[in-house]
Amino acid sequence: MSSDDTAPRPASSADGFRDLLHAQRVWDTDLPSFDPETAPPAPLPLFHRWFAEAVAAGQSEPHAMSLATADAEGLPDVRTLLLHDADERGWHFATHRTSAKGHQLTARPYAALGFYWPVQGRQVRVRGPVRRCTPEESRADLHARSRGALAAALTGTQSEVLDAAATLHRAADAAWERARTEPDAEAPTWTRYVVEPAEAEFFQGDVRRRHIRLRYRRTEAGAWERELLWP
């Protein structure tokens, strides 16, 4: 055996990544308590309360959420986008109906949402059928947002292949100018959707790993039933 065979080998990039990964800590802070016995009979009021508490606790972008859909082969797909509302109809978001997720929702109108608020060790998961809102609601949604949001909606064809970054820059510049001069400009494919919750789960983390998971499930009669889950 040569000396090269016995010499210590430098750590690989994979080893360095694992060391960095395993050095991370979760919830090195005081977390709020959650007594599921005090939870309201329906999930929406609890979501509103937890969202307000996340904002008050300084959570960055608490309205950011994961949206999971299924493609034509039934394979899962997920991305992060922003919540536009949460009301008695459900949880609202918007996108181009010609985007990848728009096509997926047309073929399989069912989705799951995930919110993660690490400042308080909380997660919220929502699952249910997805409905398109009316064209009037979609137009109102588009124009209720910032000029930048309008410019983004007017830029290119979402999810299509882009030949070069320079093409994006030119299209974005033109879209920003149009948004400035035509604040009422239409983006015909912009569509607001609502996830009508069949299930909603609230997760409260605990530093001793005694996590609380409270799930709401809608019955066939339309009422809500609550149940605790093992973490």
Side-chain angles (χ1 to χ4, degrees):
M1 180 179 295
S2 69
S3 59
D4 289 343
D5 293 328
T6 59
R9 296 180 179 180
S12 68
S13 60
D15 291 335
F17 170 75
R18 282 189 290 269
D19 290 342
L20 180 63
L21 178 64
H22 296 159
Q24 305 310 303
R25 293 293 176 263
V26 178
W27 305 327
D28 285 341
T29 184
D30 292 331
L31 298 178
S33 60
F34 173 49
D35 180 0
E37 294 297 325
T38 66
L44 183 63
L46 183 56
F47 180 83
H48 285 168
R49 190 177 88 200
W50 275 25
F51 184 87
E53 290 173 356
V55 172
Q59 176 63 56
S60 175
E61 299 183 354
H63 56 329
M65 63 184 186
S66 298
L67 168 69
T69 54
D71 67 14
E73 287 73 42
L75 300 176
D77 202 354
V78 68
R79 74 288 289 163
T80 301
L81 68 169
L82 299 180
L83 178 70
H84 287 205
D85 199 1
D87 60 17
E88 293 298 335
R89 294 166 60 191
W91 277 249
H92 298 242
F93 65 94
T95 187
H96 290 284
R97 62 177 177 272
T98 51
S99 67
K101 53 186 171 294
H103 287 305
Q104 291 168 2
L105 289 169
T106 296
R108 298 172 180 267
Y110 203 93
L113 305 176
F115 296 85
Y116 180 45
W117 300 320
V119 168
Q120 295 190 298
R122 287 175 170 173
Q123 298 181 60
V124 180
R125 300 166 58 203
V126 179
R127 294 199 302 170
V130 179
R131 305 281 183 246
R132 285 186 187 178
C133 296
T134 66
E136 292 76 18
E137 288 176 298
S138 296
R139 285 193 292 270
D141 178 275
L142 179 64
H143 294 112
R145 304 175 70 209
S146 67
R147 180 183 298 175
L150 175 60
L154 295 171
T155 301
T157 305
Q158 190 177 29
S159 301
E160 292 297 316
V161 175
L162 177 67
D163 61 351
T167 304
L168 169 62
H169 295 166
R170 289 192 296 270
D173 288 345
W176 273 92
E177 178 61 18
R178 186 180 177 197
R180 184 186 69 81
T181 60
E182 300 179 51
D184 295 325
E186 298 292 340
T189 60
W190 187 257
T191 305
R192 182 161 172 149
Y193 296 87
V194 57
V195 179
E196 300 174 345
E199 296 183 10
E201 181 187 321
F202 294 79
F203 173 101
Q204 174 63 68
D206 179 84
V207 293
R208 296 186 63 186
R209 302 305 191 264
R210 300 169 302 185
H211 312 312
I212 299 296
R213 292 177 62 189
L214 175 66
R215 181 170 65 187
Y216 291 81
R217 291 200 295 181
R218 196 185 292 275
T219 67
E220 292 183 2
W224 288 103
E225 62 181 16
R226 298 180 302 174
E227 54 198 357
L228 291 174
L229 304 176
W230 282 92

